[in-house]
Amino acid sequence: MAAIAALFGLLVIAFVSGQNVEITPIKAVRRIGDELIVLCKVPYQIDSCRMIVGTTSYRLIPGNQEGDVVYSGQGLTTGECGAHIKNIREDWNGNVTCVLPPQSSNIEVTGTMRLLVARAPGDPHLISPPQPQFKDEDIFSAQCVVPNGRPAAKILWFLDDEQLLEGVHQPVVTDEPGSDLQTVSQNITRTIRADDNNRMLACRAEHEALDQPREAKRQLIVHYPPKRLESGPITVFGLKLGAEGKLNVTVRSNPPPTAVWMVGDIRITAPHSTDNGAITALEPLHLGNGHYNVSLHLARITKEDVERTYYLQVFNDLGREEFTLRMSTMDEPAGVELDTGAIVGIVVAVLVLLIAVFLGVFAFATDRWCFAGRSHRIDMPDGADSEAPLPSHDDIKGSENPTHDHAEYITNGNSKLPEKKPDTAV
Ligand SMILES: *[C@@H]1O[C@H](CO)[C@@H](O)[C@H](O)[C@H]1NC(C)=O
Ligand SMILES: *[C@@H]1O[C@H](CO)[C@@H](O)[C@H](O)[C@H]1NC(C)=O
Ligand SMILES: *[C@@H]1O[C@H](CO)[C@@H](O)[C@H](O)[C@H]1NC(C)=O
Ligand SMILES: *[C@@H]1O[C@H](CO)[C@@H](O)[C@H](O)[C@H]1NC(C)=O
């Protein structure tokens, strides 16, 4: 619909202004020194062709290829009036208009296209909060402004090498008063993550007149309290009495954490050892990306070491995290975690067992009734009779379905249903 309306609009404009010249392209962006071919076409033979580029009107003659604006096309007899424009100059920025003789009447027909002679914008500016560092989960907003481009520059956002597409607002283009240059600005909003620490936020300006994009950057520093990577108490397995032992925990923290261990009554702040050197709390070891290996070394494991619980407190100036650790001389229990195959197997086995038990019970019951040699009887589809005595039962709750199944089974088997016996049998 919109396309049709637009086409109709164009037709109306063409009619009103007396133009019926087809011009391609309608718009082009070129750098200074580039070239451009503009082609105008009418469905009849012409005997002249003019092109207005900048403030000059050029007469174009096929066969004359001298100069910066020369004829291009299949010849005047085909109704083509095109210009090959070479060495584009800054002052040619604006309209390019072809002027052709009319088919009838005496008013020349014209077609106009827009030539944008690209002009490199100024350097991008990244306007972001002045605070030197952020906290995990902070909402961060920044604005990038790229001034005075023709056309407006295109802004892209990056976090290191990763292009950011989420949280990028619509660019806002404003015309610079008194010139045909445009300034573009774009905002970005992002929730800061621990992973963003040390990453470089860049606003990149791309433009037709730039060989290399330009960037404005800032580094994101993200601080957060120690976070644990696994939940619950930690047990370190496979330790041997009399041998050396290590307890270790991985935490994430920025700034780096301080670790304090409580071993029985002894408090050991890393990096320190107990007086006898038996137990050493090691300095948290940075594994990269804010992850730290916090560990405790025991020179020789005693029975007492295995029996007690170790408490670890890890903190920085934003908060703390606490851990409980135990040692075990057993191997890590294998197969504690059931895989899906095992779970399915167990469920199937239980179902098979249940079915077998039910079948057994029913077979037993029907056998008994068969041997009893009761006479056949007409089905009772709603099973009302068999349910009628139920209220006298103690365990009436939830027993409706089994009783119903019962009734159906028995009626299918064409056995007469004794008043109460099957219920008591179940
Ligand atoms: C360029 O052409 C457009 C229509 O095609 C017209 O509105 C505009 O005024 C022209 N500009 C100049 C500077 O002639
Ligand atoms: C972009 O951010 C600036 C400053 O942070 C603000 O003044 C402006 O209104 C924002 N623009 C949009 C379109 O959100
Ligand atoms: C202790 O370190 C080992 C070896 O790096 C690692 O596999 C294990 O996950 C760590 N234990 C904890 C609780 O972080
Ligand atoms: C963490 O520390 C423990 C104990 O010192 C050590 O065995 C383990 O290899 C360390 N893990 C890494 C990834 O450095």
Side-chain angles (χ1 to χ4, degrees), residues 127-129 141-144 169-172 185-189:
I127 304 156
S128 63
S141 288
Q143 186 179 36
C144 182
H169 299 223
Q170 283 296 317
V172 178
S185 75
Q186 189 172 41
N187 289 7
I188 190 167
T189 308

Side-chain angles (χ1 to χ4, degrees), residues 246-248 282 285 287 293-297:
K246 294 169 181 173
L247 286 175
N248 64 299
L282 297 182
L285 173 69
L287 304 172
N293 189 5
V294 180
S295 57
L296 186 75
H297 276 210

Side-chain angles (χ1 to χ4, degrees), residues 354-401:
L354 279 176
I355 288 168
V357 166
F358 271 106
L359 284 180
V361 167
F362 285 130
F364 181 66
T366 43
D367 268 351
R368 247 184 27 191
W369 300 325
C370 282
F371 288 135
R374 304 257 182 186
S375 60
H376 291 217
R377 200 186 106 147
I378 292 158
D379 293 357
M380 294 183 303
D382 59 359
D385 271 10
S386 62
E387 272 173 29
L390 267 174
S392 62
H393 258 281
D394 302 341
D395 58 342
I396 184 147
K397 272 183 217 153
S399 64
E400 201 169 282
N401 281 338

Side-chain angles (χ1 to χ4, degrees), residues 6 14 77 134 286 321:
T77 50
F134 300 93
H286 194 207
E321 187 63 83

Side-chain angles (χ1 to χ4, degrees), residues 189-221:
T189 308
R190 180 179 171 82
T191 306
I192 296 282
R193 301 264 168 247
D195 281 329
D196 293 341
N197 185 46
N198 283 332
R199 292 174 89 189
M200 198 64 87
L201 177 74
C203 135
R204 178 182 295 179
E206 289 187 347
H207 193 273
E208 288 85 346
L210 290 176
D211 290 324
Q212 294 289 323
R214 290 192 190 147
E215 286 188 346
K217 297 183 181 187
R218 87 163 272 179
Q219 193 171 36
L220 299 181
I221 304 293

